[in-house]
Amino acid sequence: MTGTAKLRMAILLAVIAGLALVPFVVGEFYLLLMTKIAALAILAISLDLLLGYSGMISFGHAAFLGVGAYAGAMLAPEYEAANMLITLPLSIAAATLVAFLIGVLAIRTSGIYFIMVTLAFAQMAFYVAHDTPFFGGSDGRLIFSKPQVRLGDMVLADLSGNEIYYYTTLGFLIVSYLCLTMIVRSPFGQIIQGIKSNEQRMRALGFPTDKYRLASFVIAGAFAGLAGYLLAYQAEYVSPAMLGWQQSGLLLMMVILGGSGTLWGPAVGAFLLIAVEEFLADLTGHWMGLMGLFIVLIVIFLPHGLAGLAARIYRPTEAEVDDD
Amino acid sequence: MPPPAKKRGRLFIWHKHMELSFYLIQALNGVQYGFLLFLVASGLTLVFGVMGIINLAHGSFYMIGAYLAYWLSAMTGNLFIAVLLGLPLSIAVGFAVERFCISFLYARDHLEQVLLTYGLILIFNEGQRILWGNDVYGVAIPNWLSGSITLTDTQSYPVYRLFISFACIAVAVGLYFLIHKTRLGMTIRAGASNREMAQALGIDINNLFAAVFALGAGLAAFSGMIAAPVEAVYPGIGENILVVSLVIVVIGGIGSIRGAFAGAMMIGLADAFGKTLAPDYASFIVYGVMAAVLVWRPQGIFGGSPQ
């Protein structure tokens, strides 16, 4: 293990330890908020797999969040707790399937078209949730209790407490982070990064680049489905706004704010963006406009996010080379 | 010849006649909606073609146009005065947005462009909420355009919808002359085909970009204004038209005005017939058309190589 790897590991463990202490320090409101942030962080790092490693700018990532969330809500029985061992894999499977269907069409394009196509298909998913009575229409759906982990009739864990649900979400975040880190370091991850930097070269080397891009899109969709499921049970409510284009835009902003292509950056970005959102919402009812202003300023003055800023402070010369 | 047979025959003809006028009305509605969408999408595609900017806030200019049409026509009592006052105002907003925001983006990648213009949508929507609230407004059709043309005993077609089509054709013809016959148009074409070369020949690219962006904003705002009397003016109107415009640009091929026209007509007709023939699935038909085009020609009907 090199020095930097040791340092990274130490920072990661310190952050996890800090996050594990959160329920002992903060009240119920902030615990719920931290749970939401942990779930959104899973979304942000899964989107970073597309943005930072595969070079695919998806403006429709909220669609898979929505599919995971709605699947979780629809599978929940009305008067008893859902079994997570059954409903979670099914929700992830639903998000994976939708990601595959949209992905098959979307990966036929790239660049600017890819942005527009993913935005349009996500909006279609929004209208499905919004306009069909089956999914609850514009009112959305309520979930009546948090899930349990059950084997047969034996309850292994009841996630109805806020603290245990926070730890569950945090656990999934850590597992997702480790999984995605392994994915980007694996041969598969090297290939998608190769496609990002020069697709034609990778195709000339004999890689079926479309299949790799589709695989990357579907993996990201699966993690988004997981995060959607967790978010749905955190709020105990799903609504079409979860899959709207505004949600997709906020997810992109989390990745950019933290710094794409780092995985840890987008997780920090999720935390910061929600913190800013809460701060502005406390300040004024017109916080959405201020959020827009914040986004405009970040894009103009901090386009490489905090990770870019950190890199510039830490290694000024290299950052300047990267900037080109 | 027994009378019942004759009666049956006449009944049949009458039905066929009604069917025909029914389809005619749907076709007219579709073409009218298509013309309107063409105006909006041509602004979007023009800005991309010349400046290489993907502007998600394009729908916001449509929204601004619609609300200005409501607000100014309520104050002045006349939609045309509202358009005359509102259009320069929206173009000025477009100009200011280009100067203070978009001009930072020319050397940046598409991701930063969509994020910045996404931030602009949030700002414009907040402005709309502050100025006009969350209510839904209607705009009155001017008296002399409020009649209907009788097609059959039971069916008629509103004059105002015809007026929209003609207004859009007039603007499209004007746009054609502007781009192909004027000096500004020549510089626009030069800028679109080779930016560096145009600059080397002494064209002030900054002024050109500001003019093109303002023109695109004006096209969107004008569409929003003349569509206001047939559609209600409501929060979120800009996003709805934005997503449809993006679909049209994907179908037609980005940067292509011809493509925008073909895409707009396809979507306009698909929407009009979809709403009456399959109302339950109407909101998905637009995306179905896009999916079909993506399978057939991912670069769009008039697009070059997929980029």
Side-chain angles (χ1 to χ4, degrees):
Chain A
M1 220 185 239
T2 64
T4 22
K6 263 185 194 160
L7 183 69
R8 283 175 62 103
M9 188 56 86
I11 293 175
L12 185 65
L13 288 175
V15 168
I16 291 172
L19 288 172
L21 290 176
V22 162
F24 300 102
V25 187
V26 301
E28 191 164 342
F29 175 79
Y30 285 104
L31 186 62
L32 286 173
L33 193 65
M34 282 304 289
T35 311
K36 182 179 161 189
I37 289 173
L40 286 170
I42 299 177
L43 277 161
I45 60 176
S46 70
L47 184 56
D48 195 24
L49 177 70
L50 296 181
L51 232 62
Y53 294 94
S54 320
M56 299 156 84
I57 304 169
S58 169
F59 211 115
H61 209 52
F64 314 124
L65 180 184
V67 173
Y70 268 84
M74 312 275 296
L75 289 167
E78 200 163 327
Y79 298 112
E80 52 184 317
N83 186 355
M84 202 181 213
L85 288 183
I86 297 169
T87 53
L88 179 61
L90 284 176
S91 302
I92 294 176
T96 311
L97 179 68
V98 173
F100 177 78
L101 293 175
I102 293 180
V104 163
L105 291 167
I107 56 128
R108 295 175 64 83
T109 66
S110 58
I112 199 81
Y113 281 91
F114 189 82
I115 300 176
M116 298 192 289
V117 168
T118 47
L119 174 60
F121 279 127
Q123 207 57 16
M124 177 175 159
F126 170 83
Y127 284 123
V128 171
H130 191 270
D131 291 353
T132 45
F134 179 67
F135 289 103
S138 57
D139 292 338
R141 285 178 86 95
L142 288 171
I143 301 171
F144 292 95
S145 62
K146 288 226 172 16
Q148 292 177 335
V149 182
R150 278 200 305 263
L151 265 182
D153 282 337
M154 191 171 59
V155 178
L156 298 180
D158 185 359
L159 305 181
S160 56
N162 286 337
E163 285 178 21
I164 186 158
Y165 195 73
Y166 169 73
Y167 283 121
T168 309
T169 311
L170 184 62
F172 275 116
L173 170 61
I174 294 166
V175 170
S176 304
Y177 179 79
L178 294 177
C179 281
L180 284 164
T181 306
M182 282 197 291
I183 287 172
V184 299
R185 288 183 187 170
S186 69
F188 171 82
Q190 301 299 313
I191 292 165
I192 55 170
Q193 289 173 66
I195 294 171
K196 184 195 177 198
S197 66
N198 190 336
E199 181 169 357
Q200 271 172 356
R201 184 174 59 199
M202 294 306 280
R203 206 179 297 147
L205 286 171
F207 291 104
T209 54
D210 280 358
K211 285 190 181 127
Y212 279 95
R213 292 174 69 223
L214 179 60
S216 175
F217 194 77
V218 171
I219 291 170
F223 279 101
L226 162 70
Y229 179 93
L230 294 170
L231 269 179
Y233 279 96
Q234 183 268 338
E236 298 183 348
Y237 172 64
V238 291
S239 75
M242 288 174 109
L243 351 64
W245 64 274
Q246 294 192 335
Q247 182 72 47
S248 293
L250 283 179
L251 294 176
L252 278 176
M253 200 54 219
M254 288 170 188
V255 177
I256 292 309
L257 182 61
S260 68
T262 59
L263 290 184
W264 63 266
V268 176
F271 177 83
L272 282 176
L273 200 72
I274 298 301
V276 169
E277 189 182 283
E278 285 297 318
F279 172 73
L280 294 177
D282 255 8
L283 211 63
T284 159
H286 297 298
W287 61 275
M288 276 299 258
L290 290 179
M291 192 63 165
L293 192 64
F294 175 75
I295 290 172
V296 167
L297 292 175
I298 288 287
V299 173
I300 291 177
F301 296 110
L302 203 62
H304 297 286
L306 294 169
L309 193 69
R312 214 179 307 171
I313 294 166
Y314 189 54
R315 281 173 302 204
T317 46
E318 223 179 277
E320 249 119 69
V321 175
D322 280 353
D323 260 0
D324 181 48
Chain B
M1 8 174 139
K6 200 176 172 185
K7 202 176 175 187
R8 232 184 358 254
R10 262 170 56 198
L11 205 67
F12 175 64
I13 290 168
W14 184 74
H15 260 296
K16 197 174 165 189
H17 186 62
M18 193 194 81
E19 290 259 291
L20 193 70
S21 69
F22 168 79
Y23 284 118
L24 179 70
I25 286 177
Q26 296 318 318
L28 281 172
N29 278 340
V31 169
Q32 175 260 308
Y33 188 44
F35 273 124
L36 191 77
L37 290 176
F38 167 65
L39 276 202
V40 184
S42 64
L44 189 67
T45 212
L46 190 70
V47 165
F48 183 83
V50 177
M51 303 161 63
I53 291 281
I54 180 71
N55 175 24
L56 292 189
H58 194 65
S60 296
F61 293 114
Y62 182 92
M63 178 274 285
I64 290 172
Y67 273 93
L68 282 179
Y70 150 73
W71 188 53
L72 293 171
S73 69
M75 279 202 305
T76 62
N78 187 320
L79 182 65
F80 291 99
I81 296 175
V83 172
L84 283 180
L85 293 174
L87 196 55
L89 208 59
S90 340
I91 289 175
V93 173
F95 188 80
V97 165
E98 196 279 338
R99 284 288 88 163
F100 296 115
C101 295
I102 307 292
S103 57
F104 288 98
L105 290 177
Y106 294 127
R108 305 282 190 85
D109 60 28
H110 294 316
L111 175 59
E112 288 159 38
Q113 298 174 357
V114 294
L115 277 177
L116 188 141
T117 51
Y118 163 74
L120 286 177
I121 299 178
L122 299 185
I123 295 174
F124 281 129
N125 283 354
E126 199 63 67
Q128 168 252 310
R129 270 193 290 274
I130 291 170
L131 288 173
W132 295 295
N134 283 329
D135 294 336
V136 176
Y137 299 109
V139 176
I141 296 174
N143 274 335
W144 59 281
L145 288 172
S146 62
S148 297
I149 296 168
T150 310
L151 293 176
T152 65
D153 296 345
T154 52
Q155 312 230 350
S156 59
Y157 194 75
V159 175
Y160 189 76
R161 283 186 181 268
L162 283 180
F163 166 76
I164 292 181
S165 293
F166 285 118
C168 291
I169 295 171
V171 172
V173 169
L175 193 63
Y176 177 86
F177 273 96
L178 178 77
I179 289 179
H180 289 276
K181 306 288 177 196
T182 67
R183 190 166 178 83
L184 174 67
M186 199 170 68
T187 55
I188 288 176
R189 279 180 291 140
S193 63
N194 193 331
R195 197 179 306 170
E196 282 81 16
M197 189 64 86
Q199 243 170 331
L201 291 172
I203 292 170
D204 185 342
I205 215 83
N206 287 333
N207 284 342
L208 176 67
F209 281 3
V212 168
F213 195 85
L215 176 66
L219 284 170
F222 180 73
S223 317
M225 285 171 175
I226 59 169
V230 291
E231 284 183 59
V233 179
Y234 56 93
I237 190 172
E239 282 99 276
N240 287 348
I241 204 86
L242 169 74
V243 174
V244 178
S245 307
L246 292 178
V247 169
I248 288 168
V249 168
V250 169
I251 289 175
I254 193 160
S256 161
I257 299 268
R258 263 191 312 171
F261 185 76
M265 281 300 155
M266 279 167 77
I267 293 299
L269 288 168
D271 182 80
F273 281 100
K275 270 183 183 151
T276 48
L277 298 178
D280 290 346
Y281 304 100
S283 36
F284 313 128
I285 285 174
V286 168
Y287 306 99
V289 175
M290 181 176 81
V293 170
L294 281 177
V295 171
W296 169 45
R297 266 180 82 87
Q299 71 273 38
I301 298 172
F302 289 97
S305 63
Q307 74 99 15

